[in-house]
PDB file of all heavy atoms in Angstrom:
ATOM      1  N   PHE A   1      -6.738 -12.472  13.798  1.00 96.00           N
ATOM      2  CA  PHE A   1      -6.932 -11.280  14.589  1.00 96.00           C
ATOM      3  C   PHE A   1      -8.295 -11.199  15.275  1.00 96.00           C
ATOM      4  O   PHE A   1      -8.497 -10.347  16.137  1.00 96.00           O
ATOM      5  CB  PHE A   1      -6.734 -10.004  13.737  1.00 96.00           C
ATOM      6  CG  PHE A   1      -5.419  -9.929  13.026  1.00 96.00           C
ATOM      7  CD1 PHE A   1      -5.331  -9.876  11.636  1.00 96.00           C
ATOM      8  CD2 PHE A   1      -4.222  -9.955  13.758  1.00 96.00           C
ATOM      9  CE1 PHE A   1      -4.124  -9.831  11.005  1.00 96.00           C
ATOM     10  CE2 PHE A   1      -2.981  -9.926  13.100  1.00 96.00           C
ATOM     11  CZ  PHE A   1      -2.953  -9.846  11.701  1.00 96.00           C
ATOM     12  N   THR A   2      -9.201 -12.057  14.878  1.00 94.00           N
ATOM     13  CA  THR A   2     -10.566 -12.044  15.434  1.00 94.00           C
ATOM     14  C   THR A   2     -10.919 -13.321  16.184  1.00 94.00           C
ATOM     15  O   THR A   2     -12.074 -13.536  16.509  1.00 94.00           O
ATOM     16  CB  THR A   2     -11.579 -11.771  14.327  1.00 94.00           C
ATOM     17  OG1 THR A   2     -11.453 -12.795  13.303  1.00 94.00           O
ATOM     18  CG2 THR A   2     -11.368 -10.419  13.687  1.00 94.00           C
ATOM     19  N   ALA A   3      -9.929 -14.173  16.413  1.00 95.00           N
ATOM     20  CA  ALA A   3     -10.200 -15.476  17.027  1.00 95.00           C
ATOM     21  C   ALA A   3     -10.214 -15.418  18.559  1.00 95.00           C
ATOM     22  O   ALA A   3     -10.474 -16.433  19.210  1.00 95.00           O
ATOM     23  CB  ALA A   3      -9.109 -16.481  16.578  1.00 95.00           C
ATOM     24  N   GLY A   4      -9.939 -14.240  19.134  1.00 95.00           N
ATOM     25  CA  GLY A   4      -9.930 -14.134  20.578  1.00 95.00           C
ATOM     26  C   GLY A   4      -8.640 -14.474  21.234  1.00 95.00           C
ATOM     27  O   GLY A   4      -8.511 -14.464  22.434  1.00 95.00           O
ATOM     28  N   VAL A   5      -7.583 -14.809  20.441  1.00 97.00           N
ATOM     29  CA  VAL A   5      -6.268 -15.090  20.941  1.00 97.00           C
ATOM     30  C   VAL A   5      -5.438 -13.822  20.831  1.00 97.00           C
ATOM     31  O   VAL A   5      -5.366 -13.237  19.728  1.00 97.00           O
ATOM     32  CB  VAL A   5      -5.612 -16.243  20.181  1.00 97.00           C
ATOM     33  CG1 VAL A   5      -4.175 -16.451  20.677  1.00 97.00           C
ATOM     34  CG2 VAL A   5      -6.401 -17.523  20.347  1.00 97.00           C
ATOM     35  N   PRO A   6      -4.772 -13.346  21.878  1.00 97.00           N
ATOM     36  CA  PRO A   6      -3.927 -12.162  21.786  1.00 97.00           C
ATOM     37  C   PRO A   6      -2.829 -12.331  20.715  1.00 97.00           C
ATOM     38  O   PRO A   6      -2.246 -13.409  20.608  1.00 97.00           O
ATOM     39  CB  PRO A   6      -3.324 -12.015  23.200  1.00 97.00           C
ATOM     40  CG  PRO A   6      -4.320 -12.725  24.076  1.00 97.00           C
ATOM     41  CD  PRO A   6      -4.860 -13.841  23.279  1.00 97.00           C
ATOM     42  N   VAL A   7      -2.611 -11.257  19.958  1.00 97.00           N
ATOM     43  CA  VAL A   7      -1.583 -11.320  18.883  1.00 97.00           C
ATOM     44  C   VAL A   7      -0.693 -10.070  19.015  1.00 97.00           C
ATOM     45  O   VAL A   7      -1.171  -8.953  19.242  1.00 97.00           O
ATOM     46  CB  VAL A   7      -2.257 -11.300  17.485  1.00 97.00           C
ATOM     47  CG1 VAL A   7      -1.190 -11.387  16.389  1.00 97.00           C
ATOM     48  CG2 VAL A   7      -3.233 -12.446  17.353  1.00 97.00           C
ATOM     49  N   PHE A   8       0.612 -10.329  18.839  1.00 98.00           N
ATOM     50  CA  PHE A   8       1.616  -9.240  18.887  1.00 98.00           C
ATOM     51  C   PHE A   8       2.384  -9.257  17.571  1.00 98.00           C
ATOM     52  O   PHE A   8       2.903 -10.266  17.159  1.00 98.00           O
ATOM     53  CB  PHE A   8       2.574  -9.495  20.040  1.00 98.00           C
ATOM     54  CG  PHE A   8       3.574  -8.388  20.291  1.00 98.00           C
ATOM     55  CD1 PHE A   8       3.212  -7.048  20.317  1.00 98.00           C
ATOM     56  CD2 PHE A   8       4.941  -8.685  20.499  1.00 98.00           C
ATOM     57  CE1 PHE A   8       4.116  -6.055  20.551  1.00 98.00           C
ATOM     58  CE2 PHE A   8       5.862  -7.686  20.760  1.00 98.00           C
ATOM     59  CZ  PHE A   8       5.449  -6.356  20.769  1.00 98.00           C
ATOM     60  N   GLY A   9       2.393  -8.106  16.871  1.00 95.00           N
ATOM     61  CA  GLY A   9       3.121  -8.024  15.591  1.00 95.00           C
ATOM     62  C   GLY A   9       4.414  -7.270  15.754  1.00 95.00           C
ATOM     63  O   GLY A   9       4.464  -6.220  16.396  1.00 95.00           O
ATOM     64  N   MET A  10       5.472  -7.817  15.125  1.00 93.00           N
ATOM     65  CA  MET A  10       6.770  -7.148  15.150  1.00 93.00           C
ATOM     66  C   MET A  10       7.220  -6.848  13.717  1.00 93.00           C
ATOM     67  O   MET A  10       7.193  -7.772  12.885  1.00 93.00           O
ATOM     68  CB  MET A  10       7.841  -8.071  15.797  1.00 93.00           C
ATOM     69  CG  MET A  10       7.603  -8.475  17.210  1.00 93.00           C
ATOM     70  SD  MET A  10       8.925  -9.577  17.780  1.00 93.00           S
ATOM     71  CE  MET A  10       8.448  -9.783  19.497  1.00 93.00           C
ATOM     72  N   CYS A  11       7.564  -5.616  13.406  1.00 89.00           N
ATOM     73  CA  CYS A  11       8.105  -5.238  12.121  1.00 89.00           C
ATOM     74  C   CYS A  11       7.143  -5.661  11.013  1.00 89.00           C
ATOM     75  O   CYS A  11       6.052  -5.103  10.876  1.00 89.00           O
ATOM     76  CB  CYS A  11       9.512  -5.851  11.923  1.00 89.00           C
ATOM     77  SG  CYS A  11      10.397  -5.218  10.490  1.00 89.00           S
ATOM     78  N   TYR A  12       7.481  -6.667  10.169  1.00 89.00           N
ATOM     79  CA  TYR A  12       6.577  -7.109   9.113  1.00 89.00           C
ATOM     80  C   TYR A  12       5.246  -7.579   9.702  1.00 89.00           C
ATOM     81  O   TYR A  12       4.161  -7.292   9.150  1.00 89.00           O
ATOM     82  CB  TYR A  12       7.256  -8.229   8.343  1.00 89.00           C
ATOM     83  CG  TYR A  12       6.490  -8.765   7.153  1.00 89.00           C
ATOM     84  CD1 TYR A  12       6.453  -8.053   5.991  1.00 89.00           C
ATOM     85  CD2 TYR A  12       5.815  -9.973   7.240  1.00 89.00           C
ATOM     86  CE1 TYR A  12       5.730  -8.547   4.889  1.00 89.00           C
ATOM     87  CE2 TYR A  12       5.097 -10.474   6.160  1.00 89.00           C
ATOM     88  CZ  TYR A  12       5.064  -9.758   4.984  1.00 89.00           C
ATOM     89  OH  TYR A  12       4.337 -10.241   3.914  1.00 89.00           O
ATOM     90  N   GLY A  13       5.311  -8.273  10.838  1.00 92.00           N
ATOM     91  CA  GLY A  13       4.080  -8.752  11.488  1.00 92.00           C
ATOM     92  C   GLY A  13       3.200  -7.575  11.925  1.00 92.00           C
ATOM     93  O   GLY A  13       1.962  -7.667  11.910  1.00 92.00           O
ATOM     94  N   PHE A  14       3.828  -6.504  12.319  1.00 93.00           N
ATOM     95  CA  PHE A  14       3.129  -5.276  12.720  1.00 93.00           C
ATOM     96  C   PHE A  14       2.363  -4.691  11.506  1.00 93.00           C
ATOM     97  O   PHE A  14       1.208  -4.282  11.632  1.00 93.00           O
ATOM     98  CB  PHE A  14       4.156  -4.278  13.273  1.00 93.00           C
ATOM     99  CG  PHE A  14       3.667  -2.882  13.555  1.00 93.00           C
ATOM    100  CD1 PHE A  14       2.766  -2.651  14.587  1.00 93.00           C
ATOM    101  CD2 PHE A  14       4.106  -1.806  12.818  1.00 93.00           C
ATOM    102  CE1 PHE A  14       2.321  -1.370  14.880  1.00 93.00           C
ATOM    103  CE2 PHE A  14       3.716  -0.513  13.114  1.00 93.00           C
ATOM    104  CZ  PHE A  14       2.780  -0.293  14.144  1.00 93.00           C
ATOM    105  N   GLN A  15       3.030  -4.675  10.386  1.00 91.00           N
ATOM    106  CA  GLN A  15       2.392  -4.159   9.146  1.00 91.00           C
ATOM    107  C   GLN A  15       1.269  -5.087   8.671  1.00 91.00           C
ATOM    108  O   GLN A  15       0.241  -4.601   8.196  1.00 91.00           O
ATOM    109  CB  GLN A  15       3.451  -3.980   8.060  1.00 91.00           C
ATOM    110  CG  GLN A  15       4.498  -2.902   8.406  1.00 91.00           C
ATOM    111  CD  GLN A  15       5.583  -2.776   7.387  1.00 91.00           C
ATOM    112  OE1 GLN A  15       5.532  -3.435   6.334  1.00 91.00           O
ATOM    113  NE2 GLN A  15       6.591  -1.924   7.661  1.00 91.00           N
ATOM    114  N   LEU A  16       1.471  -6.414   8.805  1.00 92.00           N
ATOM    115  CA  LEU A  16       0.403  -7.334   8.423  1.00 92.00           C
ATOM    116  C   LEU A  16      -0.848  -7.092   9.324  1.00 92.00           C
ATOM    117  O   LEU A  16      -1.971  -7.156   8.799  1.00 92.00           O
ATOM    118  CB  LEU A  16       0.885  -8.757   8.617  1.00 92.00           C
ATOM    119  CG  LEU A  16       1.722  -9.381   7.521  1.00 92.00           C
ATOM    120  CD1 LEU A  16       2.084 -10.832   7.913  1.00 92.00           C
ATOM    121  CD2 LEU A  16       0.998  -9.382   6.161  1.00 92.00           C
ATOM    122  N   MET A  17      -0.639  -6.844  10.577  1.00 95.00           N
ATOM    123  CA  MET A  17      -1.741  -6.587  11.493  1.00 95.00           C
ATOM    124  C   MET A  17      -2.486  -5.275  11.087  1.00 95.00           C
ATOM    125  O   MET A  17      -3.698  -5.243  11.002  1.00 95.00           O
ATOM    126  CB  MET A  17      -1.260  -6.507  12.909  1.00 95.00           C
ATOM    127  CG  MET A  17      -2.374  -6.261  13.932  1.00 95.00           C
ATOM    128  SD  MET A  17      -1.814  -6.071  15.635  1.00 95.00           S
ATOM    129  CE  MET A  17      -1.276  -7.771  15.978  1.00 95.00           C
ATOM    130  N   ALA A  18      -1.680  -4.240  10.816  1.00 93.00           N
ATOM    131  CA  ALA A  18      -2.268  -2.952  10.443  1.00 93.00           C
ATOM    132  C   ALA A  18      -3.085  -3.093   9.177  1.00 93.00           C
ATOM    133  O   ALA A  18      -4.238  -2.643   9.091  1.00 93.00           O
ATOM    134  CB  ALA A  18      -1.182  -1.914  10.282  1.00 93.00           C
ATOM    135  N   LYS A  19      -2.500  -3.712   8.173  1.00 91.00           N
ATOM    136  CA  LYS A  19      -3.169  -3.872   6.869  1.00 91.00           C
ATOM    137  C   LYS A  19      -4.375  -4.768   6.975  1.00 91.00           C
ATOM    138  O   LYS A  19      -5.434  -4.498   6.405  1.00 91.00           O
ATOM    139  CB  LYS A  19      -2.164  -4.398   5.845  1.00 91.00           C
ATOM    140  CG  LYS A  19      -2.693  -4.519   4.434  1.00 91.00           C
ATOM    141  CD  LYS A  19      -1.534  -4.887   3.500  1.00 91.00           C
ATOM    142  CE  LYS A  19      -2.024  -5.013   2.061  1.00 91.00           C
ATOM    143  NZ  LYS A  19      -2.741  -6.283   1.838  1.00 91.00           N
ATOM    144  N   GLY A  20      -4.216  -5.866   7.735  1.00 93.00           N
ATOM    145  CA  GLY A  20      -5.327  -6.840   7.836  1.00 93.00           C
ATOM    146  C   GLY A  20      -6.504  -6.354   8.561  1.00 93.00           C
ATOM    147  O   GLY A  20      -7.628  -6.848   8.378  1.00 93.00           O
ATOM    148  N   LEU A  21      -6.337  -5.321   9.421  1.00 94.00           N
ATOM    149  CA  LEU A  21      -7.454  -4.786  10.222  1.00 94.00           C
ATOM    150  C   LEU A  21      -7.976  -3.453   9.709  1.00 94.00           C
ATOM    151  O   LEU A  21      -8.715  -2.784  10.400  1.00 94.00           O
ATOM    152  CB  LEU A  21      -6.998  -4.682  11.680  1.00 94.00           C
ATOM    153  CG  LEU A  21      -6.850  -6.038  12.411  1.00 94.00           C
ATOM    154  CD1 LEU A  21      -6.202  -5.796  13.755  1.00 94.00           C
ATOM    155  CD2 LEU A  21      -8.201  -6.741  12.551  1.00 94.00           C
ATOM    156  N   GLY A  22      -7.506  -3.090   8.500  1.00 93.00           N
ATOM    157  CA  GLY A  22      -8.076  -1.874   7.875  1.00 93.00           C
ATOM    158  C   GLY A  22      -7.255  -0.640   8.077  1.00 93.00           C
ATOM    159  O   GLY A  22      -7.699   0.480   7.706  1.00 93.00           O
ATOM    160  N   GLY A  23      -6.051  -0.753   8.634  1.00 92.00           N
ATOM    161  CA  GLY A  23      -5.151   0.408   8.758  1.00 92.00           C
ATOM    162  C   GLY A  23      -4.482   0.653   7.417  1.00 92.00           C
ATOM    163  O   GLY A  23      -4.768   0.031   6.412  1.00 92.00           O
ATOM    164  N   GLU A  24      -3.541   1.581   7.402  1.00 88.00           N
ATOM    165  CA  GLU A  24      -2.866   1.942   6.154  1.00 88.00           C
ATOM    166  C   GLU A  24      -1.362   1.726   6.252  1.00 88.00           C
ATOM    167  O   GLU A  24      -0.721   2.235   7.163  1.00 88.00           O
ATOM    168  CB  GLU A  24      -3.124   3.417   5.806  1.00 88.00           C
ATOM    169  CG  GLU A  24      -2.465   3.872   4.496  1.00 88.00           C
ATOM    170  CD  GLU A  24      -2.641   5.346   4.241  1.00 88.00           C
ATOM    171  OE1 GLU A  24      -3.412   5.975   4.961  1.00 88.00           O
ATOM    172  OE2 GLU A  24      -1.973   5.851   3.333  1.00 88.00           O
ATOM    173  N   VAL A  25      -0.827   0.895   5.358  1.00 86.00           N
ATOM    174  CA  VAL A  25       0.606   0.703   5.246  1.00 86.00           C
ATOM    175  C   VAL A  25       1.041   1.363   3.936  1.00 86.00           C
ATOM    176  O   VAL A  25       0.507   1.033   2.846  1.00 86.00           O
ATOM    177  CB  VAL A  25       0.969  -0.800   5.231  1.00 86.00           C
ATOM    178  CG1 VAL A  25       2.483  -0.958   5.104  1.00 86.00           C
ATOM    179  CG2 VAL A  25       0.473  -1.452   6.529  1.00 86.00           C
ATOM    180  N   ALA A  26       1.957   2.316   4.014  1.00 82.00           N
ATOM    181  CA  ALA A  26       2.295   3.136   2.848  1.00 82.00           C
ATOM    182  C   ALA A  26       3.706   2.898   2.360  1.00 82.00           C
ATOM    183  O   ALA A  26       4.607   2.661   3.155  1.00 82.00           O
ATOM    184  CB  ALA A  26       2.089   4.623   3.198  1.00 82.00           C
ATOM    185  N   HIS A  27       3.873   3.030   1.021  1.00 72.00           N
ATOM    186  CA  HIS A  27       5.205   3.111   0.419  1.00 72.00           C
ATOM    187  C   HIS A  27       5.674   4.556   0.545  1.00 72.00           C
ATOM    188  O   HIS A  27       5.491   5.375  -0.360  1.00 72.00           O
ATOM    189  CB  HIS A  27       5.153   2.725  -1.072  1.00 72.00           C
ATOM    190  CG  HIS A  27       4.896   1.277  -1.313  1.00 72.00           C
ATOM    191  ND1 HIS A  27       5.786   0.302  -0.970  1.00 72.00           N
ATOM    192  CD2 HIS A  27       3.883   0.637  -1.939  1.00 72.00           C
ATOM    193  CE1 HIS A  27       5.327  -0.872  -1.322  1.00 72.00           C
ATOM    194  NE2 HIS A  27       4.177  -0.706  -1.895  1.00 72.00           N
ATOM    195  N   THR A  28       6.229   4.923   1.640  1.00 64.00           N
ATOM    196  CA  THR A  28       6.620   6.317   1.847  1.00 64.00           C
ATOM    197  C   THR A  28       7.939   6.666   1.174  1.00 64.00           C
ATOM    198  O   THR A  28       8.282   7.818   0.997  1.00 64.00           O
ATOM    199  CB  THR A  28       6.760   6.605   3.343  1.00 64.00           C
ATOM    200  OG1 THR A  28       7.837   5.790   3.878  1.00 64.00           O
ATOM    201  CG2 THR A  28       5.473   6.294   4.094  1.00 64.00           C
ATOM    202  N   GLY A  29       8.726   5.662   0.822  1.00 60.00           N
ATOM    203  CA  GLY A  29      10.065   5.875   0.259  1.00 60.00           C
ATOM    204  C   GLY A  29      11.096   6.085   1.324  1.00 60.00           C
ATOM    205  O   GLY A  29      12.281   6.069   1.049  1.00 60.00           O
ATOM    206  N   ALA A  30      10.650   6.282   2.576  1.00 63.00           N
ATOM    207  CA  ALA A  30      11.593   6.446   3.693  1.00 63.00           C
ATOM    208  C   ALA A  30      11.885   5.091   4.295  1.00 63.00           C
ATOM    209  O   ALA A  30      10.951   4.310   4.568  1.00 63.00           O
ATOM    210  CB  ALA A  30      11.015   7.397   4.729  1.00 63.00           C
ATOM    211  N   ARG A  31      13.158   4.812   4.536  1.00 67.00           N
ATOM    212  CA  ARG A  31      13.563   3.550   5.114  1.00 67.00           C
ATOM    213  C   ARG A  31      14.276   3.797   6.413  1.00 67.00           C
ATOM    214  O   ARG A  31      14.896   4.828   6.598  1.00 67.00           O
ATOM    215  CB  ARG A  31      14.463   2.789   4.164  1.00 67.00           C
ATOM    216  CG  ARG A  31      13.796   2.483   2.834  1.00 67.00           C
ATOM    217  CD  ARG A  31      14.736   1.629   1.956  1.00 67.00           C
ATOM    218  NE  ARG A  31      14.074   1.235   0.697  1.00 67.00           N
ATOM    219  CZ  ARG A  31      14.535   0.331  -0.108  1.00 67.00           C
ATOM    220  NH1 ARG A  31      15.683  -0.276   0.176  1.00 67.00           N
ATOM    221  NH2 ARG A  31      13.897   0.001  -1.209  1.00 67.00           N
ATOM    222  N   GLU A  32      14.149   2.835   7.322  1.00 66.00           N
ATOM    223  CA  GLU A  32      14.846   2.886   8.591  1.00 66.00           C
ATOM    224  C   GLU A  32      15.545   1.560   8.854  1.00 66.00           C
ATOM    225  O   GLU A  32      14.899   0.530   8.843  1.00 66.00           O
ATOM    226  CB  GLU A  32      13.868   3.197   9.735  1.00 66.00           C
ATOM    227  CG  GLU A  32      13.286   4.609   9.706  1.00 66.00           C
ATOM    228  CD  GLU A  32      12.285   4.848  10.836  1.00 66.00           C
ATOM    229  OE1 GLU A  32      11.398   4.012  11.006  1.00 66.00           O
ATOM    230  OE2 GLU A  32      12.421   5.868  11.507  1.00 66.00           O
ATOM    231  N   TYR A  33      16.838   1.608   8.995  1.00 69.00           N
ATOM    232  CA  TYR A  33      17.630   0.403   9.279  1.00 69.00           C
ATOM    233  C   TYR A  33      18.602   0.674  10.433  1.00 69.00           C
ATOM    234  O   TYR A  33      19.184   1.761  10.491  1.00 69.00           O
ATOM    235  CB  TYR A  33      18.427  -0.049   8.064  1.00 69.00           C
ATOM    236  CG  TYR A  33      17.562  -0.499   6.892  1.00 69.00           C
ATOM    237  CD1 TYR A  33      17.295   0.353   5.820  1.00 69.00           C
ATOM    238  CD2 TYR A  33      16.934  -1.738   6.906  1.00 69.00           C
ATOM    239  CE1 TYR A  33      16.505  -0.059   4.758  1.00 69.00           C
ATOM    240  CE2 TYR A  33      16.121  -2.140   5.867  1.00 69.00           C
ATOM    241  CZ  TYR A  33      15.896  -1.292   4.794  1.00 69.00           C
ATOM    242  OH  TYR A  33      15.087  -1.676   3.769  1.00 69.00           O
ATOM    243  N   GLY A  34      18.707  -0.284  11.320  1.00 72.00           N
ATOM    244  CA  GLY A  34      19.641  -0.124  12.434  1.00 72.00           C
ATOM    245  C   GLY A  34      19.051   0.675  13.583  1.00 72.00           C
ATOM    246  O   GLY A  34      17.822   0.842  13.690  1.00 72.00           O
ATOM    247  N   ARG A  35      19.935   1.197  14.445  1.00 80.00           N
ATOM    248  CA  ARG A  35      19.461   1.928  15.632  1.00 80.00           C
ATOM    249  C   ARG A  35      18.733   3.209  15.220  1.00 80.00           C
ATOM    250  O   ARG A  35      19.241   3.996  14.426  1.00 80.00           O
ATOM    251  CB  ARG A  35      20.684   2.282  16.512  1.00 80.00           C
ATOM    252  CG  ARG A  35      21.231   1.116  17.286  1.00 80.00           C
ATOM    253  CD  ARG A  35      22.288   1.568  18.249  1.00 80.00           C
ATOM    254  NE  ARG A  35      22.817   0.467  19.023  1.00 80.00           N
ATOM    255  CZ  ARG A  35      23.865  -0.297  18.644  1.00 80.00           C
ATOM    256  NH1 ARG A  35      24.474  -0.028  17.491  1.00 80.00           N
ATOM    257  NH2 ARG A  35      24.317  -1.288  19.378  1.00 80.00           N
ATOM    258  N   THR A  36      17.533   3.405  15.767  1.00 86.00           N
ATOM    259  CA  THR A  36      16.689   4.505  15.375  1.00 86.00           C
ATOM    260  C   THR A  36      16.043   5.109  16.617  1.00 86.00           C
ATOM    261  O   THR A  36      15.480   4.400  17.443  1.00 86.00           O
ATOM    262  CB  THR A  36      15.555   4.004  14.441  1.00 86.00           C
ATOM    263  OG1 THR A  36      16.152   3.361  13.312  1.00 86.00           O
ATOM    264  CG2 THR A  36      14.709   5.184  13.950  1.00 86.00           C
ATOM    265  N   PRO A  37      16.082   6.445  16.788  1.00 91.00           N
ATOM    266  CA  PRO A  37      15.376   7.055  17.916  1.00 91.00           C
ATOM    267  C   PRO A  37      13.869   6.938  17.745  1.00 91.00           C
ATOM    268  O   PRO A  37      13.343   7.154  16.636  1.00 91.00           O
ATOM    269  CB  PRO A  37      15.832   8.526  17.842  1.00 91.00           C
ATOM    270  CG  PRO A  37      17.019   8.534  16.929  1.00 91.00           C
ATOM    271  CD  PRO A  37      16.839   7.432  15.990  1.00 91.00           C
ATOM    272  N   VAL A  38      13.181   6.602  18.841  1.00 93.00           N
ATOM    273  CA  VAL A  38      11.717   6.524  18.816  1.00 93.00           C
ATOM    274  C   VAL A  38      11.181   7.377  19.960  1.00 93.00           C
ATOM    275  O   VAL A  38      11.783   7.514  20.999  1.00 93.00           O
ATOM    276  CB  VAL A  38      11.233   5.066  18.940  1.00 93.00           C
ATOM    277  CG1 VAL A  38      11.589   4.482  20.279  1.00 93.00           C
ATOM    278  CG2 VAL A  38       9.750   4.941  18.686  1.00 93.00           C
ATOM    279  N   THR A  39       9.996   7.968  19.711  1.00 94.00           N
ATOM    280  CA  THR A  39       9.373   8.826  20.741  1.00 94.00           C
ATOM    281  C   THR A  39       8.043   8.195  21.173  1.00 94.00           C
ATOM    282  O   THR A  39       7.169   7.881  20.326  1.00 94.00           O
ATOM    283  CB  THR A  39       9.097  10.239  20.166  1.00 94.00           C
ATOM    284  OG1 THR A  39      10.317  10.819  19.768  1.00 94.00           O
ATOM    285  CG2 THR A  39       8.418  11.099  21.218  1.00 94.00           C
ATOM    286  N   VAL A  40       7.928   7.980  22.464  1.00 96.00           N
ATOM    287  CA  VAL A  40       6.675   7.417  23.014  1.00 96.00           C
ATOM    288  C   VAL A  40       5.714   8.604  23.271  1.00 96.00           C
ATOM    289  O   VAL A  40       6.024   9.479  24.065  1.00 96.00           O
ATOM    290  CB  VAL A  40       6.951   6.656  24.330  1.00 96.00           C
ATOM    291  CG1 VAL A  40       5.639   6.129  24.937  1.00 96.00           C
ATOM    292  CG2 VAL A  40       7.925   5.498  24.078  1.00 96.00           C
TER     293      VAL A  40
END
């Protein structure tokens, strides 16, 4: 994440990026599978 190469995280990769850079990944107990509404 600090090598100067652009990085894009998807799903698990998104969480690895968040955790690796000091963000918070939580065991919320809530799960999402399949089609899900998202708000931009």
Side-chain angles (χ1 to χ4, degrees):
F1 303 120
T2 57
V5 176
V7 182
F8 186 46
M10 300 179 177
C11 190
Y12 183 77
F14 173 67
Q15 295 177 5
L16 280 180
M17 181 183 290
K19 184 171 180 285
L21 290 171
E24 181 185 350
V25 180
H27 289 296
T28 62
R31 300 184 176 192
E32 291 178 311
Y33 295 101
R35 286 187 178 89
T36 305
V38 65
T39 300
V40 178

